[in-house]
Amino acid sequence: MSRAEQPSRRTVLAAAVAAAVAGSALTADVADAEEAAVAPPLAQPGLRPSGGTPTVDHRSWTSYQDWRAGAAHGTRAVAGARPGVVIATPAGTTDYTDPHTGTTAAWEYATWTSPVHRLRVPATEVIASWNAHTPAGTWLQVELHGTYSDGTETPWYVMGRWAAGDQDIKRTSVDDQKDGKSAIWTDTFAIDDATTGLRLVSYRLRLTLYRKPGTKLSPTVWRLGAMGSDIPDRFTVPASTPGLAKELIVPRYSQEIHKGQYPEYDNGGEAWCSPTSSQMIIEYWGGRLTPEQLAWVDPSYADPQVDHAARFTYDYQYEGCGNWPFNAAYAATYKDLQGVVTRLGSLTDLETLIAAGIPAITSQSFLKGELTGAGYGTAGHLMTVIGFTADGDVIANDPFSPSDDAVRRVYKRREWENIWLRTKRYNASGKVVSGTGGVCYLYFPARPTPRQRKALAVVGVR
């Protein structure tokens, strides 16, 4: 289960969430008070379930040509099996005072700025994501600068300050960024009032790489991108037609068995739906932690890798483990894995991915009575979709379960699709609050098979 929504949190519609914050809840119970398979037909990326106008645009820079095309200021592109960008000759030195420790330190830095990307879908929201290696003594910052449909420009917004570890800086989102037309809600750029018709029509991303002065260390960034979207307001979505019966064998982990463990990372396991889901998919792809990496975890705790995932996805500003890009970046710290944050248009998109062997982590919110068999309600929760039954119902590894054995659930297709894809819903008090509009994390190999690459392209990820 996610932690309670706060005014600093990202939102689908900022005003709606801000009005509903006081009624959000910390736990499920309180929240409720408030290969044999036939692949489905290929869908067009970013389309609504019934087809029509695209609603999602995902763009990533990943190739050597991509990195060469950007504006480098002290960075250089590196070729190889996994092309990236690194520090060459630093552009300068700067001081950074960590707001979560009060420590000020000097850092050498270099920057890479993407070409301008004109959105195929003028956006009300943009979420950046990145994949990188940050050895000890290094970290990175991602920023976004865009142009509105009225011709004016945004400031440079910080989308995240990140390191794989937590010894040099505390990874963090940055609050209180706004210009009167848009704002940053933890990890999401959002237009303040979408009803005015204002949209973001283009953007650039700027990557700043940092290292301790006098060293030869450097972060290496393999993927940098963003998902822009304009999801229409909707309480219900059109139903998709079942097209796949297949189940992937994915490890099962419960967040609930971690209650009370490491409360400094957002109240222990009670709020660890996101890292628990991430760890399930990471291990599906073969990602494993060594005994040395897990040595800090109390040896009496079961599934210590979940505790590890919580610590290393934790956002010190948000004070939670549910920062979407931080989870994708964490997944990519495992050998030969990539991670992105995007939106999908229907369960047909998920069927396309499952058919290619790619599970997905989805974000949804609902009342107890809206999802048969869940037994709880939530203001925001992540779970893992691992397949579909012969009737088209959703097979999910739901971390909000009392034990690992109880994690596998089957949810009714129509109920599940609606709670995931809608952008508006009523809470227990009858107030209109927001939904996530099809947000998901996708983790997949650094070198996908042709079938996997085709499936990812169908849902707009390259």
Side-chain angles (χ1 to χ4, degrees):
M1 197 68 52
S2 304
R3 65 194 297 271
E5 298 288 346
Q6 295 182 349
S8 61
R9 188 57 173 143
R10 61 169 176 261
T11 178
V12 175
L13 289 174
V17 170
V21 164
S24 297
L26 287 171
T27 69
D29 294 335
V30 179
D32 182 47
E34 156 247 79
E35 293 305 329
V38 177
L42 298 183
Q44 293 299 311
L47 292 185
R48 300 177 188 176
S50 58
T53 304
T55 58
V56 178
D57 176 298
H58 189 103
R59 171 68 164 102
S60 287
W61 286 266
T62 61
S63 70
Y64 181 68
Q65 291 74 21
D66 285 340
W67 299 120
R68 292 275 293 175
H73 191 204
T75 58
R76 66 179 175 88
V78 291
R82 199 170 186 184
V85 64
V86 299
I87 296 173
T89 302
T93 302
T94 189
D95 288 342
Y96 173 65
T97 300
D98 192 315
H100 308 294
T101 65
T103 301
T104 300
W107 299 89
E108 293 179 344
Y109 71 91
T111 66
W112 181 89
T113 305
S114 76
V116 173
H117 174 61
R118 187 164 187 85
L119 285 150
R120 183 173 60 107
V121 178
T124 59
E125 289 192 345
V126 180
I127 302 170
S129 52
W130 56 89
N131 297 175
H133 172 57
T134 54
T138 72
W139 57 284
L140 61 84
Q141 175 176 271
V142 174
E143 297 168 277
L144 177 145
H145 174 272
T147 300
Y148 296 114
S149 52
D150 65 5
T152 61
E153 298 183 357
T154 72
W156 279 103
Y157 282 131
V158 176
M159 304 302 289
R161 293 175 178 148
W162 184 84
D166 53 13
Q167 300 304 304
D168 294 305
I169 68 159
K170 301 303 184 186
R171 78 189 69 81
T172 186
S173 52
V174 179
D175 283 347
D176 301 321
Q177 300 184 82
K178 53 190 175 182
D179 68 352
K181 296 181 178 181
S182 64
I184 302 300
W185 296 81
T186 300
D187 49 18
T188 302
F189 164 95
I191 295 292
D192 290 341
D193 185 357
T195 65
T196 64
L198 186 70
R199 298 292 186 267
L200 194 76
V201 296
S202 66
Y203 66 81
R204 291 178 291 160
L205 298 178
R206 182 165 67 195
L207 179 65
T208 305
L209 308 181
Y210 296 92
R211 72 182 182 192
K212 289 183 176 179
T215 72
K216 298 298 183 183
L217 298 170
S218 176
T220 303
V221 179
W222 301 299
R223 173 182 284 270
L224 176 67
M227 179 271 294
S229 61
D230 185 5
I231 308 300
D233 284 350
R234 56 197 185 189
F235 287 89
T236 60
V237 300
S240 60
T241 301
L244 176 75
K246 180 174 182 175
E247 181 174 358
L248 305 177
I249 306 304
V250 176
R252 302 172 188 173
Y253 293 130
S254 163
Q255 71 190 75
E256 290 298 283
I257 69 172
H258 298 276
K259 280 185 178 179
Q261 298 176 5
Y262 303 105
E264 62 268 35
Y265 302 122
D266 191 15
N267 198 36
E270 185 65 28
W272 287 0
C273 58
S274 189
T276 306
S277 296
S278 286
Q279 199 64 33
M280 287 191 258
I281 304 298
I282 288 165
E283 295 189 17
Y284 165 80
W285 290 115
R288 297 291 185 273
L289 294 163
T290 66
E292 291 75 20
Q293 289 173 307
L294 294 172
W296 68 274
V297 181
D298 187 321
S300 69
Y301 292 165
D303 302 337
Q305 60 270 47
V306 173
D307 300 82
H308 186 277
R311 175 180 172 182
F312 292 102
T313 56
Y314 188 73
D315 176 345
Y316 283 80
Q317 180 62 50
Y318 169 48
E319 297 182 340
C321 305
N323 182 305
W324 292 335
F326 285 10
N327 275 262
Y330 168 73
T333 64
Y334 286 77
K335 182 177 173 59
D336 295 329
L337 272 187
Q338 301 187 69
V340 301
V341 179
T342 192
R343 278 190 164 101
L344 302 181
S346 74
L347 282 181
T348 301
D349 286 343
L350 280 180
E351 288 174 335
T352 298
L353 294 167
I354 295 293
I358 302 172
I361 299 170
T362 61
S363 178
Q364 46 273 309
S365 52
F366 51 92
L367 298 175
K368 185 176 181 178
E370 291 186 296
L371 189 60
T372 302
Y376 65 88
T378 173
H381 182 52
L382 282 297
M383 62 178 81
T384 298
V385 176
I386 64 170
F388 296 86
T389 69
D391 292 330
D393 289 335
V394 175
I395 308 172
N397 277 4
D398 188 341
F400 196 76
S401 301
S403 67
D404 288 355
D405 287 343
V407 162
R408 182 188 179 276
R409 309 283 190 91
V410 176
Y411 291 129
K412 291 183 177 180
R413 182 186 186 93
R414 181 62 189 138
E415 293 178 346
W416 196 95
E417 184 167 39
N418 202 61
I419 66 168
W420 172 50
L421 292 172
R422 67 188 177 186
T423 61
K424 294 273 200 174
R425 67 185 183 92
Y426 293 101
N427 67 9
S429 301
K431 293 181 179 179
V432 176
V433 293
S434 65
T436 64
V439 165
C440 71
Y441 316 161
L442 297 179
Y443 305 159
F444 50 93
R447 288 173 286 280
T449 66
R451 188 180 186 190
Q452 291 166 350
R453 189 177 298 111
K454 183 177 181 180
L456 289 163
V458 165
V459 301
V461 176
R462 293 175 173 82

